[in-house]
Amino acid sequence: MRLLSPALCASPGPARRGGVTPDSSVKSPIEMWSTNSTEKFYRIPEGKGPHSVGCTDLMTENAVEGSFLRLYYPAYDATDIEEARWIPDKEYYQGLSDFLNMYRVVGERLFHYYVGSVTCPAKSNAAFKPGEKYPLLVFSHGLGAFRTIYSAICIEMASQGFIVAAVEHRDESASATYYCKRRSVSESQEESPPNMEKEWIYYRKLKTGEEERCLRHKQVQQRAQECIKALNLILRINSGEEVTNVLHSDFDWNSLKDSVDTSRIAVMGHSFGGATVIESLSKEIRFRCGIALDVWMLPVGDDIYQNSVQQPLLFINSEKFQWAENILKIKKLISNDTNKKMITIKGSVHQSFPDFTFVSGGIIARFFKLKGEIDPNEAIDISNHASLAFLQKHLSLKKDFDQWDSLVDGIGPNVIPGTNIDTSPAEPE
């Protein structure tokens, strides 16, 4: 399952915008290796809300059919607890290398050098902060991504009083993921929990002659089911049910009992994860609304457009990624529903949403198109503030997020309503 693909979190093929081209030489990453080491010292932004944030990983049994997610949550302030590692295993470097069409030996060395010491500003396994019922947000990652690399978004939401379940998909759309299986008695037990070993799953590229839409539609259906499984899992924990975490963390899952507001649940995702949001809304009415960040519409089935998404839906697009065919599909889904909105962040690129935009210096950012013309912190603030305002309205939250209501209508600095893409029919020559 070792595979190659052109662009992190972007849709492949001619419609892709802002990605690394398939014929990119590995010479450039090697040259970047020799750049000034100060390039690597960048920081994922902390949450701006009133809560400290903790995070922990949860993997259920049942091998590949089980759930795997990173939970971000309001936590007690704990200065003595270390922040979580951003990319927790070297196999993720290998998967990213495959996905970006680099030799693994080059990519792994490059990623380790630049981001191997990066942590996300959430305390690993910090004590959960009970005392109120928090709304639940399920997050779906993009193509070639995985559960940890949207931490700037997830941490901000948790700091504002959400419990966020960031799913790691096992449909072979992640750069890498794994499940735990029982090891043979003769094998080492040093790195995994006793009697368990990691079975890695890497990104699957298209086979020769395979139709992409067919594969992606099949994957998006699995992804939606994984989001619904994550929802069910968190609600089981909320009800007080004992759940086995095969990762054996120190986190006290019993502390989550009766802490989820089961009437206020939403789903959010980026790119392929945006398509997953749409599919999830169509299948699960408990998701009261959804937010699709720079959505890739190819995986969405034709049946979805026939009034199968009744819930409110916010599309937040970058300026540089979208194209006419994709926008026309978004408009078809929005139709005349005033609870479905689309806005565009000026100067942003497809990679303005994942964390790589914050941890890359100039050369790396230019090579992989990780930064747009807008400051990355301003772009993510616009996205997060619009998301919070939308969530307040449609989850009936008693917060002050309505201060950003204008952003949902595309009014404000560096944001426009609708799209910057011309979707009018071409004039005949």
Side-chain angles (χ1 to χ4, degrees):
M1 285 188 279
R2 228 187 127 240
L3 301 163
L4 310 176
S5 190
L8 177 66
C9 312
S11 60
R16 188 183 68 254
R17 298 290 184 272
V20 180
T21 55
D23 60 349
S24 294
S25 168
V26 296
K27 183 179 179 182
S28 292
I30 293 172
E31 288 171 349
M32 287 187 291
W33 178 265
S34 64
T35 61
N36 191 310
S37 63
T38 57
E39 286 252 22
K40 64 187 278 192
F41 297 111
Y42 290 82
R43 176 87 174 145
I44 297 168
E46 296 182 3
K48 297 177 173 63
H51 299 282
S52 296
V53 178
C55 71
T56 190
D57 290 328
L58 173 61
M59 183 186 293
T60 62
E61 297 176 299
N62 305 320
V64 71
E65 287 79 25
S67 288
F68 188 19
L69 59 87
R70 173 161 285 191
L71 196 77
Y72 300 86
Y73 52 87
Y76 284 116
D77 194 17
T79 56
D80 59 328
I81 298 178
E82 291 185 355
E83 292 184 344
R85 288 178 62 192
W86 182 49
I87 298 181
D89 296 277
K90 65 179 176 58
E91 285 82 359
Y92 289 107
Y93 301 149
Q94 295 170 359
L96 287 167
S97 301
D98 291 350
F99 190 78
L100 295 171
N101 202 10
M102 286 188 216
Y103 293 118
R104 278 191 175 187
V105 66
V106 174
E108 185 177 342
R109 192 178 174 204
L110 180 70
F111 282 114
H112 178 75
Y113 178 76
Y114 277 103
V115 300
S117 61
V118 171
T119 58
C120 69
K123 296 300 181 72
S124 182
N125 298 317
F128 176 74
K129 184 181 178 182
E132 62 179 285
K133 288 186 178 291
Y134 301 104
L136 175 63
L137 185 61
V138 176
F139 192 95
S140 173
H141 64 73
L143 192 72
F146 39 91
R147 73 190 187 284
T148 68
I149 66 169
Y150 294 88
S151 67
I153 295 172
C154 295
I155 287 170
E156 175 61 16
M157 295 297 153
S159 80
Q160 298 286 358
F162 288 80
I163 293 174
V164 185
V167 176
E168 187 156 291
H169 293 295
R170 288 168 167 165
D171 61 331
E172 298 179 300
S173 69
S175 283
T177 186
Y178 67 94
Y179 61 92
C180 289
K181 67 175 185 179
R182 299 203 176 275
R183 68 170 80 229
S184 63
V185 177
S186 62
E187 291 179 292
S188 167
Q189 298 183 6
E190 288 181 6
E191 295 197 3
S192 293
N195 301 318
M196 303 294 284
E197 64 178 344
K198 295 176 181 178
E199 184 73 15
W200 285 89
I201 302 167
Y202 292 99
Y203 175 80
R204 156 160 144 47
K205 70 175 180 179
L206 288 171
K207 298 172 183 174
T208 303
E210 184 177 21
E211 183 191 4
E212 179 162 32
R213 190 168 187 271
C214 181
L215 170 63
R216 302 307 181 198
H217 181 57
K218 181 179 178 181
Q219 287 177 319
V220 81
Q221 292 179 79
Q222 178 177 332
R223 286 166 143 259
Q225 290 302 325
E226 288 171 338
C227 287
I228 295 167
K229 279 183 188 177
L231 166 60
N232 290 334
L233 177 61
I234 299 304
L235 293 184
R236 282 164 52 202
I237 293 169
N238 181 68
S239 70
E241 182 176 331
E242 290 283 343
V243 173
T244 299
N245 183 9
V246 300
L247 300 179
H248 300 287
S249 72
D250 295 328
F251 183 72
D252 179 11
W253 290 97
N254 292 323
S255 64
L256 286 176
K257 184 180 178 182
D258 296 327
S259 290
V260 177
D261 188 336
T262 59
S263 68
R264 292 181 168 90
I265 300 168
V267 60
M268 185 179 194
H270 173 242
S271 194
F272 201 176
T276 307
V277 166
I278 296 168
E279 191 76 23
S280 299
L281 290 171
S282 74
K283 293 181 183 302
E284 181 51 75
I285 197 66
R286 289 176 296 176
F287 290 125
R288 285 182 52 183
C289 61
I291 300 170
L293 307 172
D294 229 11
V295 62
W296 178 37
M297 296 294 288
L298 177 73
V300 176
D302 293 336
D303 58 310
I304 298 295
Y305 298 96
Q306 308 303 317
N307 298 316
S308 63
V309 178
Q310 303 297 321
Q311 302 96 313
L313 183 54
L314 175 62
F315 295 91
I316 303 178
N317 293 340
S318 71
E319 182 179 351
K320 303 297 185 182
F321 174 72
Q322 294 294 334
W323 63 102
E325 181 184 7
N326 209 56
I327 292 293
L328 287 171
K329 289 180 178 178
I330 295 173
K331 288 184 173 181
K332 184 178 180 181
L333 190 66
I334 291 174
S335 187
N336 295 315
D337 188 345
T338 57
N339 286 323
K340 293 183 174 68
K341 304 267 191 179
M342 174 168 57
I343 62 173
T344 299
I345 301 173
K346 294 165 65 176
S348 60
V349 296
H350 198 51
Q351 302 305 323
S352 294
F353 300 94
D355 295 336
F356 279 106
T357 191
F358 301 108
V359 299
S360 56
I363 295 175
I364 293 282
R366 284 194 297 274
F367 183 80
F368 290 113
K369 296 181 172 63
L370 300 176
K371 296 181 192 288
E373 295 162 7
I374 189 173
D375 179 87
N377 290 280
E378 184 177 357
I380 208 69
D381 281 350
I382 293 171
S383 178
N384 287 337
H385 290 165
S387 297
L388 288 165
F390 184 81
L391 291 167
Q392 169 152 331
K393 179 178 180 180
H394 296 291
L395 297 182
S396 304
L397 302 175
K398 293 179 173 61
K399 302 283 188 178
D400 63 352
F401 307 151
D402 55 348
Q403 65 182 296
W404 300 305
D405 278 351
S406 61
L407 293 176
V408 179
D409 294 318
I411 300 170
N414 292 314
V415 63
I416 60 171
T419 181
N420 60 307
I421 303 298
D422 181 9
T423 57
S424 58
E427 291 288 333
E429 294 182 3

